[in-house]
Amino acid sequence: MRKCNKCHKEKSTDKFRYGKRTCKKCEYRFKQRFLRALVHDRRLTAAERLANRLGYMGTAFIMMSPYLLSYGIIGGITYVIGGILSMPQVFVAKQWNLVAVNINVTIGYLIYLYNA
């Protein structure tokens, strides 16, 4: 029998981890409380939800565009639409490197469409 230094109760040795003075139950309670304090349950705003949905749709357009380039002007149009639609998601997330990439893709394919 050992005494827990947290709850001060006498408990059998199997209720303790090897080399610990705090019983498993008290240690678990503190750990759970500490971990729950670190996590915040945050809800997305309406603008963030809309930006995420537009971003997924833009990504789908960008993913199908290479396959449509051989069919004429439609591939370039879908690239431009995809770049424009995915812009709000990365802008709201403040991922400025991806904002620059999306602007670059949009401008590049606008030039491609202008020359075609």
Side-chain angles (χ1 to χ4, degrees):
M1 295 293 281
R2 293 170 56 185
K3 187 175 180 181
C4 175
N5 66 347
K6 185 92 172 162
C7 62
H8 305 292
K9 293 181 183 176
E10 290 284 332
K11 298 183 179 182
S12 65
T13 309
D14 65 324
K15 301 287 183 185
F16 293 87
R17 289 192 178 159
Y18 179 76
K20 297 275 187 169
R21 293 183 183 161
T22 307
C23 67
K24 290 178 185 177
K25 187 175 180 182
C26 291
E27 195 170 301
Y28 176 75
R29 277 189 275 166
F30 171 74
K31 186 169 88 174
Q32 284 298 104
R33 212 172 331 125
F34 178 70
L35 291 175
R36 285 186 184 149
L38 292 177
V39 176
H40 295 283
D41 189 23
R42 192 175 78 82
R43 302 193 57 61
L44 295 177
T45 64
E48 289 171 333
R49 275 184 274 145
L50 181 63
N52 281 339
R53 290 178 183 143
L54 286 174
Y56 290 134
M57 197 162 60
T59 302
F61 273 104
I62 290 174
M63 285 171 48
M64 74 177 176
S65 294
Y67 304 105
L68 298 175
L69 277 176
S70 61
Y71 293 110
I73 200 168
I74 190 72
I77 292 172
T78 54
Y79 259 121
V80 171
I81 291 171
I84 291 170
L85 286 177
S86 60
M87 194 90 59
Q89 183 182 27
V90 294
F91 192 79
V92 167
K94 296 183 174 83
Q95 296 171 332
W96 305 116
N97 57 339
L98 294 177
V99 171
V101 168
N102 285 340
I103 290 172
N104 189 18
V105 165
T106 304
I107 290 173
Y109 277 98
L110 282 172
I111 293 170
Y112 170 79
L113 289 173
Y114 179 73
N115 291 333

